[in-house]
Structures are given as C-alpha cells and as structure tokens.
Amino acid sequence: MIFREMHAADYPSAFHLWESTEGMGLSAADSEEEIIRYLQRNPGLSQVCEAGDGAIAGTALCGHDGRRGFIYHVAVSDSYRGHGIGRELVNRCLYKLREEQIAKCHLMVIGDNELGQGFWRGIGWQLRDGLALYSQGT
C-alpha cells in the first residue's frame, strides 16, 4: 500500500469509491470541479491509499478554515477494510493539520450510517451532543 497526497487526477477513482461506499452521502458539492477546488484550497491535506495495482483503496478529504480542521469522505474499498487503512488516512490528515497549526478537527457522519459511526468510535473520536447542523444550498 502506498499512502500519498490526493491529486485532481485521483477524482474519477475516488468518486467511484465514494459511490460504492455504503452510508456515504454525495451531493452536487462532490462534483469534479468542486472537489478540485477543495484540493487547491487545501493543498497537501487530503490523502489517498493506492493498492499495489495503482487502484485507489482509500480516501480522506481534509481541509481547514484557519482555526478548525474538517475531514470528509473517509472511505476504504470493501476488499481492503480491516487493515488499518482508514485509521492511517485519518492520522495522516491530522498530522498535516498540525503542520498547519490546526489543533482541533471535526467531521460529519450521516445519522443512520452505522458503519461510519462504528469506525469513528473505534478509533477514539467522540460524538458531540448539543450541536445542530444547518445547511443552505445544494
């Protein structure tokens, strides 16, 4: 396995992985144009894991607003789960955020995504109570 920074050229493979990942919520904000803009705005923070054949086995989008980090679309292909790839992707994102002097990181998991909820609990993240998420737009 090779872990590295995510690049614009990874988008087609990454999007295919996201589409095939149970519980992953996708929207117009996940278009190629939007994801490339996100990568450009947050250079070097998002990560991928390549399998031996060069296929994308895992992804983690990562960025920050100058004070808080955010992680999105952590996904690992079914055939590579259980080998620590998701944990390593997250650790690499957190390391990159610390290099940017960002000490706190948030993420969102769709409420009925039990697989995702279990992953985050399993690697030590805590569910925040008392917050309400509001959105506008598509």
Side-chain angles (χ1 to χ4, degrees):
M1 297 293 168
I2 298 169
F3 292 89
R4 63 169 176 78
E5 174 185 328
M6 185 177 192
H7 302 287
D10 295 318
Y11 177 82
S13 296
F15 190 80
H16 177 71
L17 174 61
W18 300 336
E19 282 184 311
S20 63
T21 299
E22 183 181 343
M24 181 73 61
L26 298 174
S27 70
D30 297 305
S31 70
E32 186 169 10
E33 178 183 343
E34 295 286 331
I35 296 298
I36 289 172
R37 185 176 326 144
Y38 185 82
L39 294 174
Q40 289 170 342
R41 185 179 188 281
N42 298 281
L45 299 180
S46 296
Q47 304 291 305
V48 297
C49 175
E50 285 184 11
D53 60 1
I56 299 295
T59 64
L61 290 179
C62 181
H64 67 83
D65 63 8
R67 57 187 284 274
R68 297 287 186 257
F70 299 91
I71 296 177
Y72 306 94
H73 292 2
V74 175
V76 176
S77 175
D78 289 342
S79 56
Y80 293 102
R81 288 190 183 152
H83 300 285
I85 292 171
R87 179 187 299 262
E88 181 64 21
L89 288 166
V90 170
N91 286 340
R92 288 172 177 268
C93 288
L94 293 174
Y95 177 81
K96 293 291 190 177
L97 287 170
R98 284 191 297 274
E99 285 187 329
E100 300 275 327
Q101 300 180 341
I102 305 296
K104 189 165 192 165
C105 186
H106 300 292
L107 57 94
M108 291 173 268
V109 180
I110 294 174
D112 63 357
N113 181 351
E114 290 301 322
L115 183 64
Q117 302 265 355
F119 170 76
W120 292 107
R121 278 191 309 270
I123 64 170
W125 288 61
Q126 294 88 36
L127 178 64
R128 289 278 307 261
D129 290 333
L131 296 177
L133 175 67
Y134 292 82
S135 298
Q136 184 181 48
T138 57

